[in-house]
Structures are given as structure tokens and as C-alpha cells.
Amino acid sequence: MDSRMFSYIKAFNFFSYGAIAIYSTYFAIYLQSIGTSTLEIGALMAGGPIVSIIANPLWGYLSDRLGNIRRILIIMLTGNLLVMQLVFLADSYTLIYTFMIMFFFFQMPLFSQSNSLILNSIEGTSHKFGAFRLWGSLGWAVLAVGAGPVIGQIGIDKLWVVYDIMMLIAIGLTFTLPRGTSSSTGSGRVNYRTMFSNRTFLLFLIIGLVISIPNAMNSTFVGLYIADLGGNSRMIGWAAFFASIFEIPVFLLLDRYLKKDVRTMVLCLTVVSILYSLRWLLMSSVDTAMQIICIQTIHCLTFGAFYYIGTQLTAMIVPMEFRASGQAVYALTWGGLSGIAAGFIGGWMFDHSGPQSMYMLGGGMAAVGAISFALLYMYLRVSKVRITMGD
């Protein structure tokens, strides 16, 4: 594979993550502007994770079966763009909810499949995963903050214009990508029973679910929290910028220094979970929108590190021929099941108890996750468990 192909992957990451960043950062504000309540927004966002229970394994299976992740990405991005037009044209909550369910079917598995394409493309080369994933963080940061003043100028009702332009660029770049076929092509039969029989992988998924619920609550409601404290669309964009831009040095450092050992990775996840707890407790005590923007910088050490380590840990444990399905299962717990709880619990708490109580709950859940990862690390260290499928 020539160097141009690797450059195309980086460009694709920049614009695909950037397009989703524009949706993720401003869509809740758009919904609020058309009269949607916080509780309704939470229920709407919970629809995506519900759909992902089916969508993630299905798209992962199709990727492994076809041996062509590029084709799957083209289908998902095109479906994403077309359905989102229906969302912006809808004039009732029922229609918006219906079309968003369709949108989530294409959107939720997107990043797990792009991760699989990267991992398969760099297999056997000197390239590292973080060097490609950082372009996604850069796109998320730059396009989210760049969209802020544009949306402030044209109005939140024109959000679809900015989103469509970025998504069209991402779709165009998808055609330049490699197929993303693994060097060991599977038969298309993914043995989930074998995958889940690995106790370490199963415990990692369960504990990760606890950690990811407050992260999903923050992703859904942080824009509304900033708005409640007097912030505008530009400040919401800057919050997204600072949450992502510092992921870049974190990915580079992890590429260079993280030991590719399961026990080491679990220990790192313990530290990350402690930082998560600190982050949410700080968010529960803010008085101004600017304080939220400052706290968002911790995102690079929480989500950035957890995302990187979780992706690598999954790639180590799951056999290569089932890599797309393994990443889909990881994405299902991190962005799927957790999002269901986050949408309903977060929406209810934000509406009835306030965002401070929501973030205090998140701090407690992250602390439970930290203790659980510490216990898992001790178990791995004492038992000398051999990390292979079926352990």
C-alpha cells in the first residue's frame, strides 16, 4: 500500500469525524430551538443506542463476510446523509424520532468500522493506530469550533447546510480508501459464544459500560448545560474543540509508550476511570460556561485514552478474521447500551434534578468503574491468566 493511500485514510478520518462532530455538538440545540423538551431530546438520543444493538453486530458481520469495509462505509455514509435530510424536513416530534431511528442505523457503527479499516490497513507495517485516529480528533475539534460562528451567522435552522457539505466531502473521500480486508479472511460466521467466553474481554465490556454511561450523558447534554449557563453557539463549539484537540498528543504518546500487554492496559484504564470521576465531579460544581470549556480539556485523558486502549485491547483479544465484529461489540457497549441509559436517565435528571445531580451520579459511577478495573488488574496479576480467546 503506497503512502497516498494512508494520506487518504487520514483525510477521511478528518472529515467523517468532523461531520459527526457538527451533528453531535449542535443538534441538541437545534432540537431545543424547534420546541423539543430536554426529556424528549434525551429519549430521542436514546433511540440511537437502542438501534445500535442490532446495527453494530449487523454491519460488523457484513464487513467480515464481504471482506470490504470500504463498501460498507460508503453505504453507511450515504444512508446517513440521505436520512438526515428527512430529519431536518420533519415538522413533528414523531417524524423526527422515526427518521432519527433510521439515521442511527447508519451512524452508530461508523467509527468502529473505520477503526477496523485502519487496523487492517496498517497490519504488518510500521504505522500506528493513533497516528491515524488523531486526524479524527483534529477534524472533530476544528470543524466543531469552525461551525460555531457560521451557525451563529446563518442560524441554527440552517445546521443542515454545514452538515451536508462536510458529509459530502467525507463520502467522496471514502472512494479513495483501501478495501480494508484483513490478511486472514473469515467465512462470515462470527462465533460470539467464543468471543464472550473470554472472561477478561467480557469483564472489560461490563466495566466499560459503567464508565461510558456518564460519558454519553455528557455528550448529549453538555451543549444544553452551556446554554443554560448563558453560553452561545461559539462557546459550545469551543467546548467541543478543547475536548478533542488535546487527544492528538495523547494518541501519539500512547502509540509510543503504551505497552501492548493486557495487564498494563487494564491498569491504565483504572487511572483513566479515576480521572473520569474527577471530571464529572468538577462538572457538577461549575458556575459559568467558561468553566465547562476548561474542564472539557480533561476529555483527552479520559475519553481519548479509554477509546484508544479499548480499541487496541479488543484488537489483541479478538481474532483478526473477526476484527470488525469485535470492534462492533466494543462499540455496542461503549456507545450503544450506555447511550440508552444515558438518554433516559440523563434526560430525566437534567429536567427534574438539574445537570449538577446528573454529573454527581456520573462521578460515582466512574469511581465504581475505577475500583472494578483495579480488581480486574489484581486478578490478572495474581492468576497469571493467559490472554487468548476462550480463557
Side-chain angles (χ1 to χ4, degrees):
M1 189 179 300
D2 60 39
S3 59
R4 283 189 307 169
M5 196 67 73
F6 290 122
S7 298
Y8 292 146
I9 296 175
K10 293 174 181 177
F12 167 77
N13 264 10
F14 182 92
F15 284 100
S16 62
Y17 276 81
I20 299 301
I22 292 170
Y23 149 76
S24 178
T25 304
Y26 299 103
F27 190 61
I29 304 300
Y30 166 79
L31 291 174
Q32 191 179 58
S33 74
I34 61 174
T36 311
S37 71
T38 306
L39 192 58
E40 287 175 329
I41 292 172
L44 183 64
M45 294 308 181
I50 292 172
V51 172
S52 75
I53 295 175
I54 298 173
N56 271 298
L58 175 62
W59 288 111
Y61 168 81
L62 290 174
S63 292
D64 288 330
R65 181 66 181 269
L66 297 176
N68 191 331
I69 300 176
R70 177 184 63 200
R71 183 182 300 171
I72 296 298
L73 288 173
I74 291 171
I75 295 171
M76 286 196 295
L77 288 170
T78 303
N80 179 314
L81 176 65
L82 295 177
V83 174
M84 204 60 179
Q85 307 317 300
L86 299 176
V87 173
F88 284 117
L89 289 171
D91 56 1
S92 71
Y93 181 78
T94 302
L95 284 176
I96 291 175
Y97 196 93
T98 302
F99 294 139
M100 283 301 293
I101 293 297
M102 297 168 60
F103 166 78
F104 287 134
F105 178 76
F106 295 103
Q107 188 266 325
M108 293 301 290
L110 177 62
F111 295 147
S112 65
Q113 295 308 301
S114 64
N115 287 343
S116 298
L117 183 139
I118 294 170
L119 290 166
N120 287 343
S121 298
I122 64 176
E123 190 76 36
T125 73
S126 60
H127 293 279
K128 301 292 183 67
F129 173 75
F132 292 86
R133 176 56 182 80
L134 68 82
W135 284 90
S137 296
L138 185 62
W140 190 287
V142 171
L143 296 183
V145 74
V150 175
I151 292 170
Q153 188 70 30
I154 66 176
I156 192 67
D157 59 310
K158 297 295 193 302
L159 175 62
W160 65 273
V161 175
V162 185
Y163 179 79
D164 285 4
I165 292 172
M166 294 302 106
M167 187 55 69
L168 285 169
I169 296 173
I171 292 172
L173 287 167
T174 312
F175 289 92
T176 69
L177 299 177
R179 287 168 55 92
T181 309
S182 65
S183 57
S184 176
T185 303
S187 64
R189 295 182 179 179
V190 182
N191 192 336
Y192 285 105
R193 183 177 179 181
T194 302
M195 193 181 298
F196 288 124
S197 69
N198 184 298
R199 288 188 295 272
T200 302
F201 185 52
L202 183 58
L203 288 170
F204 158 67
L205 293 176
I206 294 171
I207 301 169
L209 178 61
V210 176
I211 295 293
S212 61
I213 289 174
N215 184 79
M217 288 193 290
N218 177 73
S219 298
T220 301
F221 298 108
V222 67
L224 298 179
Y225 196 12
I226 292 173
D228 280 357
L229 293 175
N232 54 29
S233 61
R234 294 191 182 194
M235 296 186 75
I236 294 171
W238 279 111
F241 176 85
F242 285 114
S244 301
I245 195 66
F246 294 115
E247 286 180 355
I248 295 173
V250 169
F251 288 143
L252 291 174
L253 289 171
L254 288 172
D255 266 348
R256 185 174 180 86
Y257 296 111
L258 180 65
K259 185 179 179 182
K260 299 300 187 290
D261 171 78
V262 171
R263 281 177 280 270
T264 301
M265 290 182 176
V266 171
L267 180 60
C268 289
L269 291 177
T270 304
V271 177
V272 170
S273 300
I274 293 171
L275 290 174
Y276 253 131
S277 183
L278 173 63
R279 178 184 175 188
W280 304 140
L281 291 176
L282 287 173
M283 287 287 283
S284 71
S285 60
V286 300
D287 298 312
T288 67
M290 187 57 68
Q291 289 175 334
I292 294 178
I293 294 175
C294 294
I295 295 170
Q296 283 289 88
T297 58
I298 306 176
H299 182 84
C300 66
L301 296 173
T302 50
F303 174 78
F306 200 108
Y307 180 96
Y308 179 99
I309 296 170
T311 300
Q312 297 282 17
L313 191 59
T314 301
M316 288 176 62
I317 296 175
V318 177
M320 184 187 301
E321 61 267 28
F322 303 140
R323 181 169 282 162
S325 295
Q327 294 297 333
V329 170
Y330 171 47
L332 174 61
T333 57
W334 182 256
L337 299 177
S338 64
I340 299 172
F344 288 111
I345 297 173
W348 186 89
M349 292 194 72
F350 198 104
D351 232 13
H352 292 81
S353 305
Q356 293 82 4
S357 297
M358 184 187 76
Y359 280 107
M360 285 190 69
L361 173 65
M365 294 181 69
V368 171
I371 294 171
S372 301
F373 274 127
L375 292 174
L376 177 58
Y377 170 75
M378 292 171 62
Y379 164 73
L380 293 173
R381 186 174 180 180
V382 171
S383 63
K384 306 293 184 183
V385 175
R386 184 170 59 91
I387 310 300
T388 57
M389 289 303 300
D391 283 345

